[in-house]
Amino acid sequence: MRAIQYAAPRSLGDAVAILQERGNKARILAGGTDLIVQVGEDARDVDVMVDGKHIPELMELSFDPEKGLTLGAAVPCYRIYEHPEIKKHYPGLVDSTSIIGGTGIQGRASVGGNLCNSGPAADSIPTLIAYGATVRIVGANGERTVPVENFCTAPGRNVLAADELLISIHLPAPSAHSGACYLRFIPRNEMDIAVVGAGVSITLDDNGIVTAARVALAAVAPTPLFVPEAGDSLVGKAPTEEAIAAAAEIAKNTARPISDMRGTAEHRKHLVGVLTRRALHRALERARA
Amino acid sequence: MTTETKYRVIGTRPVRPDGVDKVTGRAIYGADVVLPRMAHGKVLRSPHAHARILSVDTTQAEALAGVLAVICGRDMPAVSGMAAAGEGGDMNMRYASNNVMAHDKALYEGHAVAAVVATSPHIAKEALKLIKVEYEVLPPVIDVRKAMEPNAPILLEDLRTDTGGVKSETASNIAAHLIAEEGDIEKGFADAAVVVEREFTFQTVHQGYIEPHACAAEWRADGQITVWASTQGSFAVRQQCAAILQHPIGQLKVIPTEIGGGFGGKIPVYLEPIAAVLSRKAQRPVRMVMDRTEVLMATGPTPGAYIKVKMGADKNGNITAAQGYLAYEAGAYPDSFIGAGMTCLFAPYNLKNVRIDGFDVVVNKPSSTAYRAPGAPIAEFASETVLDEIAETLGIDRLAIRAQNSAKEGDWRPFGPPYTRIGHQECVAAAQASAHWNTPLVREGKDGKKRGRGVASGYWGNWDGISSCIGRLNPNGTVSLLEGSTDIGGSRASIAMQFAEAFGVTYEQVHPAVVDTDTVDYNDVTGGSRTTFGTGYAVYKLAKKMQGEIVGQLAGLWDVPAESITIDGSSYSSNGHSATITQLAKLFEENGIHINASITAKGSNLSGAFATHIVDVEVDEETGKVDIVRYTAIQDAGTAIHPSYVEGQMQGGVAQGIGWALSEGYVYDSEGHLKNATLLDYRMPTSLDVPPIETIIVEVPNPTHPYGVRGVGEVPIVPPCAAIANAIHDATGLRLRDLPMSPSRVWEALEKQ
């Protein structure tokens, strides 16, 4: 009978050494809420699971008003949405982490894992893109930094090489008068996968004029989709109903969804417009609060 | 409403006897059975929806360390004939055998083609990959109307269409064409001021029981077979296994475990015969457990369908004629409960001029089976939405049109004698008087969402069937009550309550247990809303029989004529003698007397149960999403034995109906592959999708039962789909005629509006 090995390295170096030795047959284990299910369903061929939860850098969760938020790759969702500074400064991240799975799943599932699983419908990735987050990666050749919008390359695929692992995610320090929001559409009210998701952020100056805005979408392309034109269309303008509707229309026209058992392409495209508009209004309320 | 106080036990709400074991995790379900030297079985399933099996090579799998045996179709006995298997009537056992393990053809994706037994489930699963099956892939047909076309791919070469006993000359996917007729529909439609004719399509849905199918079997060297099964009918499992295994029925014992939901889906056998054959080959007991994907692919589901309904009414709203065309997808093998669908189609109404044509059609989907009021929810979706449209056209109140046309005692119904005393009118009257109906609807919801209110009625019959049980008076005055009806919804409590009422003891003095097929006499399955009705009738007769035995023994001990002994509750008296059951139990023990009795009873039931539901929905017109904001279920329970469990059945039926209406449904690609065989994408409602459901129990006693019981388990799933569609219409103006009414469908319809 076939057995799968389990390794629990205590340092980044030890983890990289295992990845180097075992190549594609090794996978980093964070919460395991995707990985263990995929292995059980024969969807991933894994010889060794490398538990990241004993590596201090992967479990770091710290906020600095100057530097921003550092989110270790294996930190589970519940620690994120219960964190007082995150609740105050990154409500969009609370939106995402509190709807991934149910309460039990949130006790294990991590944002790093959500990112590395690289599903087009991942609920945390549009939010990270909206916040302008970057990721810190380490491998045999040392460290590198990648913006989240460049991380995923195809469904289930990303820029990590076989010998690399994700250390942490960094969200910039919050600007004054800024707000963000993530909304997803699901046919039910809980425990579902996004038919469409929209993560947005918006920053205003003292006069209420938009100085920056970012829009990213889930489940409407092979990867989470960053739509810079949608956010840019708001910059320099007052965030009126019309300006927000125009930005939402750009997002809608950029989306390139497919029809599947979760929804039709036409409905998904339409929902992008609705959700982007609603998310921008909610983000604006937060920016003004 | 509460039950009249003429009863001591009936109408109270005691704790269920199986409750503590269930909430503490001690209850033994199918997958909890552990036997010495037990091995583990797994099934290899067809990846094709329609394929001829050319060869199966098991040699590599058999060579894997830990594998004890491998079987495929050729290891199953050749089977013919019919066997009684439940409320659906007799089963063609060759089809049943072929469904358990495909012989020459795989007829749906997930159809079992081979099975492995190994020392661990993991080894068994690995061994499945080593079985080589050669298929000739055939074109599938997964839609009922396409399957009925003359040039459609044929699933079963021997199948002929049965029209009133006359068989067609050539092979067809149409297994049967049933006709129900009364009066003159031509005249009826000519007399109508308004005629509405509409077409509907329905998706395949699954019962969605929590517990996946699981069983264990041991085939001993002496030919005795014991099966542990999570089932709605241990005797049905025994009959089906005996037929499929071609084994003497007396050498088969079935031990029912606790059951984690069935809803009709745990009447057919799937794993049990395979486990038995594997056990014989491995010479070990074998346990088999399905995973959720296997459950969705290979068990259940309820038929998808195409329905056309035409109804006419005069200007006062009196229905003048009604016509129905129902084509149901039986799945891989015949029997889609088309007759039940036809019976229920117009059941709440008194109709003089009717014609209903029903077609039972095989398609390349899992063989359909019963699901809570099988055939009824979709049939009544069609008739109840058409009636709603007639009411709207004529400007008649929606409950008023249902009241004025209501069926009552003596009225005609398809395939059966006229109705006895029924309670549809009373349900509609209770709906009209309800707090919900009398609370004005606030049409504006949150964030500009639109609200609407809908109503619908529904019917489901009661099956009488046969029930047997045994009662023993213990020396302390308690009674051991042995039943053969498996308990899927609180029937141990409701049956013990009826026994206590009839025998004159307290509920706590009765200790009910569900026992195996060797211990108690024959029982039909727990299905057809029959157990509280039919087994309740049996324990009533059992109590009277035990009282008779007590009187007989007392006459001797007290030396009085038996006729002089009077019974008042638990007290027996005659000529200055008087004693309670508890005192008598002690007296009997001291005198070496044991009171025990067994009974086999068949109720006689021509009645049934009606329900009327009211629902308020909220529609987000921008996204197409529908939320249920208020729900009231009104139902005639005859007499509510345990009102909490009646309410629980009503609420459970509504919850499943909400899923059927809004989110559930099998999604197939053009090759007949099921695309959503997981609970992530087969969307059953969560707790956040189902609001608190208000219940109103109406009690119009059933004249054919000593306590007036009507079955309550099935009818509450009948009205929800139609009531929700009528509410969506009230909110948006849309008439939706395809289920599920998913956000995509609602949005697309709004775009076209």
PDB file of all heavy atoms in Angstrom, chain B residues 29 155 176 195 205 235 292 312 353 356 412 422 431 437 467 470-471 480 487 499 600 621 632 654 659 725:
ATOM      1  N   TYR B  29     -24.488   3.290  13.222  1.00  0.00           N
ATOM      2  CA  TYR B  29     -24.987   3.437  11.851  1.00  0.00           C
ATOM      3  C   TYR B  29     -24.285   2.407  10.956  1.00  0.00           C
ATOM      4  O   TYR B  29     -23.412   1.660  11.411  1.00  0.00           O
ATOM      5  CB  TYR B  29     -24.726   4.862  11.342  1.00  0.00           C
ATOM      6  CG  TYR B  29     -25.576   5.893  12.050  1.00  0.00           C
ATOM      7  CD1 TYR B  29     -25.150   6.486  13.237  1.00  0.00           C
ATOM      8  CD2 TYR B  29     -26.828   6.251  11.555  1.00  0.00           C
ATOM      9  CE1 TYR B  29     -25.940   7.411  13.905  1.00  0.00           C
ATOM     10  CE2 TYR B  29     -27.625   7.182  12.213  1.00  0.00           C
ATOM     11  CZ  TYR B  29     -27.171   7.754  13.383  1.00  0.00           C
ATOM     12  OH  TYR B  29     -27.954   8.669  14.032  1.00  0.00           O
ATOM     13  N   LEU B 155     -31.577   1.897 -24.620  1.00  0.00           N
ATOM     14  CA  LEU B 155     -30.822   1.454 -23.446  1.00  0.00           C
ATOM     15  C   LEU B 155     -30.971  -0.047 -23.223  1.00  0.00           C
ATOM     16  O   LEU B 155     -29.988  -0.755 -23.014  1.00  0.00           O
ATOM     17  CB  LEU B 155     -31.298   2.203 -22.184  1.00  0.00           C
ATOM     18  CG  LEU B 155     -30.620   3.540 -21.893  1.00  0.00           C
ATOM     19  CD1 LEU B 155     -31.090   4.593 -22.875  1.00  0.00           C
ATOM     20  CD2 LEU B 155     -30.884   3.985 -20.472  1.00  0.00           C
ATOM     21  N   ALA B 176     -43.572   2.421 -20.148  1.00  0.00           N
ATOM     22  CA  ALA B 176     -45.016   2.336 -19.964  1.00  0.00           C
ATOM     23  C   ALA B 176     -45.674   3.651 -20.353  1.00  0.00           C
ATOM     24  O   ALA B 176     -45.079   4.728 -20.226  1.00  0.00           O
ATOM     25  CB  ALA B 176     -45.347   2.013 -18.513  1.00  0.00           C
ATOM     26  N   VAL B 195     -58.686  29.251 -20.340  1.00  0.00           N
ATOM     27  CA  VAL B 195     -57.909  28.011 -20.435  1.00  0.00           C
ATOM     28  C   VAL B 195     -56.432  28.391 -20.418  1.00  0.00           C
ATOM     29  O   VAL B 195     -56.011  29.279 -21.159  1.00  0.00           O
ATOM     30  CB  VAL B 195     -58.239  27.232 -21.731  1.00  0.00           C
ATOM     31  CG1 VAL B 195     -57.306  26.026 -21.887  1.00  0.00           C
ATOM     32  CG2 VAL B 195     -59.696  26.785 -21.727  1.00  0.00           C
ATOM     33  N   VAL B 205     -32.976  15.503  -9.067  1.00  0.00           N
ATOM     34  CA  VAL B 205     -32.449  15.884  -7.750  1.00  0.00           C
ATOM     35  C   VAL B 205     -32.262  14.625  -6.896  1.00  0.00           C
ATOM     36  O   VAL B 205     -32.826  13.576  -7.185  1.00  0.00           O
ATOM     37  CB  VAL B 205     -33.347  16.898  -7.006  1.00  0.00           C
ATOM     38  CG1 VAL B 205     -33.524  18.165  -7.814  1.00  0.00           C
ATOM     39  CG2 VAL B 205     -34.701  16.304  -6.649  1.00  0.00           C
ATOM     40  N   PHE B 235     -36.735  -6.181   5.704  1.00  0.00           N
ATOM     41  CA  PHE B 235     -37.336  -7.298   4.960  1.00  0.00           C
ATOM     42  C   PHE B 235     -37.199  -7.087   3.447  1.00  0.00           C
ATOM     43  O   PHE B 235     -37.051  -8.036   2.689  1.00  0.00           O
ATOM     44  CB  PHE B 235     -38.796  -7.494   5.373  1.00  0.00           C
ATOM     45  CG  PHE B 235     -38.919  -8.037   6.770  1.00  0.00           C
ATOM     46  CD1 PHE B 235     -38.955  -7.189   7.863  1.00  0.00           C
ATOM     47  CD2 PHE B 235     -38.947  -9.406   6.993  1.00  0.00           C
ATOM     48  CE1 PHE B 235     -39.041  -7.690   9.159  1.00  0.00           C
ATOM     49  CE2 PHE B 235     -39.032  -9.919   8.291  1.00  0.00           C
ATOM     50  CZ  PHE B 235     -39.076  -9.060   9.370  1.00  0.00           C
ATOM     51  N   ARG B 292     -19.452  10.345  -0.895  1.00  0.00           N
ATOM     52  CA  ARG B 292     -20.576  11.184  -1.331  1.00  0.00           C
ATOM     53  C   ARG B 292     -20.719  11.194  -2.853  1.00  0.00           C
ATOM     54  O   ARG B 292     -21.836  11.232  -3.376  1.00  0.00           O
ATOM     55  CB  ARG B 292     -20.395  12.608  -0.784  1.00  0.00           C
ATOM     56  CG  ARG B 292     -21.531  13.560  -1.106  1.00  0.00           C
ATOM     57  CD  ARG B 292     -22.866  13.139  -0.513  1.00  0.00           C
ATOM     58  NE  ARG B 292     -22.852  13.090   0.932  1.00  0.00           N
ATOM     59  CZ  ARG B 292     -23.900  12.767   1.686  1.00  0.00           C
ATOM     60  NH1 ARG B 292     -25.059  12.462   1.120  1.00  0.00           N
ATOM     61  NH2 ARG B 292     -23.790  12.711   2.994  1.00  0.00           N
ATOM     62  N   GLY B 312     -58.834  24.472 -17.402  1.00  0.00           N
ATOM     63  CA  GLY B 312     -59.836  25.457 -17.771  1.00  0.00           C
ATOM     64  C   GLY B 312     -60.771  25.715 -16.597  1.00  0.00           C
ATOM     65  O   GLY B 312     -61.015  24.818 -15.782  1.00  0.00           O
ATOM     66  N   ASN B 353     -63.890  16.469 -15.350  1.00  0.00           N
ATOM     67  CA  ASN B 353     -63.409  16.144 -16.697  1.00  0.00           C
ATOM     68  C   ASN B 353     -61.883  16.177 -16.701  1.00  0.00           C
ATOM     69  O   ASN B 353     -61.279  17.243 -16.601  1.00  0.00           O
ATOM     70  CB  ASN B 353     -63.960  17.155 -17.705  1.00  0.00           C
ATOM     71  CG  ASN B 353     -65.480  17.226 -17.648  1.00  0.00           C
ATOM     72  OD1 ASN B 353     -66.152  16.208 -17.822  1.00  0.00           O
ATOM     73  ND2 ASN B 353     -66.030  18.405 -17.368  1.00  0.00           N
ATOM     74  N   ILE B 356     -55.198  12.303 -18.063  1.00  0.00           N
ATOM     75  CA  ILE B 356     -53.773  12.374 -17.743  1.00  0.00           C
ATOM     76  C   ILE B 356     -53.058  11.245 -18.478  1.00  0.00           C
ATOM     77  O   ILE B 356     -53.459  10.081 -18.391  1.00  0.00           O
ATOM     78  CB  ILE B 356     -53.520  12.235 -16.225  1.00  0.00           C
ATOM     79  CG1 ILE B 356     -54.390  13.215 -15.420  1.00  0.00           C
ATOM     80  CG2 ILE B 356     -52.044  12.462 -15.912  1.00  0.00           C
ATOM     81  CD1 ILE B 356     -54.422  12.927 -13.925  1.00  0.00           C
ATOM     82  N   TRP B 412     -63.909  11.784  -7.082  1.00  0.00           N
ATOM     83  CA  TRP B 412     -63.104  10.888  -7.935  1.00  0.00           C
ATOM     84  C   TRP B 412     -61.622  11.180  -7.770  1.00  0.00           C
ATOM     85  O   TRP B 412     -61.209  12.304  -7.510  1.00  0.00           O
ATOM     86  CB  TRP B 412     -63.502  11.119  -9.385  1.00  0.00           C
ATOM     87  CG  TRP B 412     -62.681  10.332 -10.372  1.00  0.00           C
ATOM     88  CD1 TRP B 412     -62.917   9.066 -10.790  1.00  0.00           C
ATOM     89  CD2 TRP B 412     -61.493  10.774 -11.056  1.00  0.00           C
ATOM     90  NE1 TRP B 412     -61.948   8.685 -11.690  1.00  0.00           N
ATOM     91  CE2 TRP B 412     -61.057   9.707 -11.875  1.00  0.00           C
ATOM     92  CE3 TRP B 412     -60.737  11.970 -11.047  1.00  0.00           C
ATOM     93  CZ2 TRP B 412     -59.907   9.788 -12.679  1.00  0.00           C
ATOM     94  CZ3 TRP B 412     -59.602  12.049 -11.845  1.00  0.00           C
ATOM     95  CH2 TRP B 412     -59.200  10.966 -12.657  1.00  0.00           C
ATOM     96  N   ILE B 422     -61.271  13.536   3.965  1.00  0.00           N
ATOM     97  CA  ILE B 422     -59.958  14.157   3.786  1.00  0.00           C
ATOM     98  C   ILE B 422     -60.014  15.591   4.291  1.00  0.00           C
ATOM     99  O   ILE B 422     -61.104  16.117   4.551  1.00  0.00           O
ATOM    100  CB  ILE B 422     -59.525  14.136   2.298  1.00  0.00           C
ATOM    101  CG1 ILE B 422     -60.648  14.648   1.395  1.00  0.00           C
ATOM    102  CG2 ILE B 422     -59.079  12.728   1.900  1.00  0.00           C
ATOM    103  CD1 ILE B 422     -60.259  14.852  -0.045  1.00  0.00           C
ATOM    104  N   ALA B 431     -55.120  28.114   6.443  1.00  0.00           N
ATOM    105  CA  ALA B 431     -54.215  29.067   5.797  1.00  0.00           C
ATOM    106  C   ALA B 431     -54.854  30.451   5.763  1.00  0.00           C
ATOM    107  O   ALA B 431     -54.213  31.462   6.053  1.00  0.00           O
ATOM    108  CB  ALA B 431     -53.877  28.599   4.379  1.00  0.00           C
ATOM    109  N   TRP B 437     -50.949  34.765   6.594  1.00  0.00           N
ATOM    110  CA  TRP B 437     -51.829  35.258   5.515  1.00  0.00           C
ATOM    111  C   TRP B 437     -52.457  36.593   5.880  1.00  0.00           C
ATOM    112  O   TRP B 437     -52.725  37.428   5.009  1.00  0.00           O
ATOM    113  CB  TRP B 437     -52.904  34.208   5.220  1.00  0.00           C
ATOM    114  CG  TRP B 437     -53.750  34.503   4.010  1.00  0.00           C
ATOM    115  CD1 TRP B 437     -55.055  34.848   3.988  1.00  0.00           C
ATOM    116  CD2 TRP B 437     -53.322  34.481   2.641  1.00  0.00           C
ATOM    117  NE1 TRP B 437     -55.490  35.039   2.703  1.00  0.00           N
ATOM    118  CE2 TRP B 437     -54.438  34.821   1.843  1.00  0.00           C
ATOM    119  CE3 TRP B 437     -52.103  34.212   2.005  1.00  0.00           C
ATOM    120  CZ2 TRP B 437     -54.383  34.899   0.446  1.00  0.00           C
ATOM    121  CZ3 TRP B 437     -52.045  34.281   0.616  1.00  0.00           C
ATOM    122  CH2 TRP B 437     -53.173  34.622  -0.136  1.00  0.00           C
ATOM    123  N   SER B 467     -47.500  -4.709   8.847  1.00  0.00           N
ATOM    124  CA  SER B 467     -46.607  -4.489   9.984  1.00  0.00           C
ATOM    125  C   SER B 467     -46.782  -5.607  10.991  1.00  0.00           C
ATOM    126  O   SER B 467     -47.902  -6.076  11.227  1.00  0.00           O
ATOM    127  CB  SER B 467     -46.900  -3.161  10.670  1.00  0.00           C
ATOM    128  OG  SER B 467     -46.500  -2.093   9.864  1.00  0.00           O
ATOM    129  N   ILE B 470     -44.033  -7.521  18.324  1.00  0.00           N
ATOM    130  CA  ILE B 470     -44.110  -8.435  19.461  1.00  0.00           C
ATOM    131  C   ILE B 470     -44.116  -7.602  20.738  1.00  0.00           C
ATOM    132  O   ILE B 470     -43.350  -6.637  20.844  1.00  0.00           O
ATOM    133  CB  ILE B 470     -42.885  -9.386  19.476  1.00  0.00           C
ATOM    134  CG1 ILE B 470     -42.905 -10.290  18.239  1.00  0.00           C
ATOM    135  CG2 ILE B 470     -42.823 -10.213  20.766  1.00  0.00           C
ATOM    136  CD1 ILE B 470     -41.630 -11.097  18.030  1.00  0.00           C
ATOM    137  N   GLY B 471     -44.959  -7.968  21.689  1.00  0.00           N
ATOM    138  CA  GLY B 471     -44.969  -7.280  22.988  1.00  0.00           C
ATOM    139  C   GLY B 471     -44.772  -8.274  24.118  1.00  0.00           C
ATOM    140  O   GLY B 471     -45.320  -9.383  24.081  1.00  0.00           O
ATOM    141  N   SER B 480     -41.641  -4.640  26.701  1.00  0.00           N
ATOM    142  CA  SER B 480     -40.667  -4.637  25.605  1.00  0.00           C
ATOM    143  C   SER B 480     -41.446  -4.740  24.312  1.00  0.00           C
ATOM    144  O   SER B 480     -42.194  -5.700  24.117  1.00  0.00           O
ATOM    145  CB  SER B 480     -39.710  -5.816  25.736  1.00  0.00           C
ATOM    146  OG  SER B 480     -38.963  -5.684  26.927  1.00  0.00           O
ATOM    147  N   ASP B 487     -36.699   2.906  11.894  1.00  0.00           N
ATOM    148  CA  ASP B 487     -37.121   4.221  12.384  1.00  0.00           C
ATOM    149  C   ASP B 487     -36.324   5.308  11.667  1.00  0.00           C
ATOM    150  O   ASP B 487     -35.162   5.527  11.971  1.00  0.00           O
ATOM    151  CB  ASP B 487     -36.883   4.264  13.900  1.00  0.00           C
ATOM    152  CG  ASP B 487     -37.293   5.601  14.511  1.00  0.00           C
ATOM    153  OD1 ASP B 487     -37.703   6.510  13.774  1.00  0.00           O
ATOM    154  OD2 ASP B 487     -37.195   5.708  15.751  1.00  0.00           O
ATOM    155  N   PHE B 499     -48.984   2.509  21.490  1.00  0.00           N
ATOM    156  CA  PHE B 499     -49.110   1.297  22.292  1.00  0.00           C
ATOM    157  C   PHE B 499     -49.481   1.660  23.738  1.00  0.00           C
ATOM    158  O   PHE B 499     -50.370   1.052  24.342  1.00  0.00           O
ATOM    159  CB  PHE B 499     -47.807   0.479  22.260  1.00  0.00           C
ATOM    160  CG  PHE B 499     -47.905  -0.778  23.060  1.00  0.00           C
ATOM    161  CD1 PHE B 499     -48.442  -1.930  22.498  1.00  0.00           C
ATOM    162  CD2 PHE B 499     -47.518  -0.806  24.395  1.00  0.00           C
ATOM    163  CE1 PHE B 499     -48.580  -3.092  23.249  1.00  0.00           C
ATOM    164  CE2 PHE B 499     -47.649  -1.960  25.155  1.00  0.00           C
ATOM    165  CZ  PHE B 499     -48.188  -3.105  24.578  1.00  0.00           C
ATOM    166  N   THR B 600     -49.473  -9.638  13.307  1.00  0.00           N
ATOM    167  CA  THR B 600     -49.211  -9.154  11.956  1.00  0.00           C
ATOM    168  C   THR B 600     -50.506  -8.501  11.483  1.00  0.00           C
ATOM    169  O   THR B 600     -51.557  -9.131  11.529  1.00  0.00           O
ATOM    170  CB  THR B 600     -48.806 -10.296  11.012  1.00  0.00           C
ATOM    171  OG1 THR B 600     -47.562 -10.827  11.473  1.00  0.00           O
ATOM    172  CG2 THR B 600     -48.635  -9.803   9.587  1.00  0.00           C
ATOM    173  N   GLU B 621     -33.352  41.640  -7.879  1.00  0.00           N
ATOM    174  CA  GLU B 621     -33.546  41.651  -9.338  1.00  0.00           C
ATOM    175  C   GLU B 621     -32.240  41.917 -10.085  1.00  0.00           C
ATOM    176  O   GLU B 621     -32.130  41.600 -11.265  1.00  0.00           O
ATOM    177  CB  GLU B 621     -34.614  42.673  -9.730  1.00  0.00           C
ATOM    178  CG  GLU B 621     -35.999  42.246  -9.265  1.00  0.00           C
ATOM    179  CD  GLU B 621     -37.113  43.038  -9.903  1.00  0.00           C
ATOM    180  OE1 GLU B 621     -37.063  44.288  -9.855  1.00  0.00           O
ATOM    181  OE2 GLU B 621     -38.045  42.422 -10.447  1.00  0.00           O
ATOM    182  N   THR B 632     -44.884  29.424   6.112  1.00  0.00           N
ATOM    183  CA  THR B 632     -45.844  28.749   6.993  1.00  0.00           C
ATOM    184  C   THR B 632     -46.364  27.500   6.296  1.00  0.00           C
ATOM    185  O   THR B 632     -46.869  27.571   5.177  1.00  0.00           O
ATOM    186  CB  THR B 632     -47.028  29.670   7.348  1.00  0.00           C
ATOM    187  OG1 THR B 632     -46.513  30.862   7.956  1.00  0.00           O
ATOM    188  CG2 THR B 632     -47.979  28.982   8.335  1.00  0.00           C
ATOM    189  N   VAL B 654     -40.216  21.055   3.963  1.00  0.00           N
ATOM    190  CA  VAL B 654     -40.085  22.404   3.398  1.00  0.00           C
ATOM    191  C   VAL B 654     -38.617  22.700   3.072  1.00  0.00           C
ATOM    192  O   VAL B 654     -38.295  23.231   2.001  1.00  0.00           O
ATOM    193  CB  VAL B 654     -40.658  23.462   4.363  1.00  0.00           C
ATOM    194  CG1 VAL B 654     -40.338  24.868   3.858  1.00  0.00           C
ATOM    195  CG2 VAL B 654     -42.165  23.276   4.522  1.00  0.00           C
ATOM    196  N   GLY B 659     -34.609  23.612  -1.377  1.00  0.00           N
ATOM    197  CA  GLY B 659     -33.447  23.227  -2.186  1.00  0.00           C
ATOM    198  C   GLY B 659     -33.846  22.845  -3.603  1.00  0.00           C
ATOM    199  O   GLY B 659     -33.209  23.259  -4.582  1.00  0.00           O
ATOM    200  N   ALA B 725     -42.504  29.420  -6.537  1.00  0.00           N
ATOM    201  CA  ALA B 725     -42.654  29.978  -7.897  1.00  0.00           C
ATOM    202  C   ALA B 725     -43.774  31.018  -7.925  1.00  0.00           C
ATOM    203  O   ALA B 725     -43.642  32.071  -8.553  1.00  0.00           O
ATOM    204  CB  ALA B 725     -42.955  28.858  -8.890  1.00  0.00           C
TER     205      ALA B 725
END
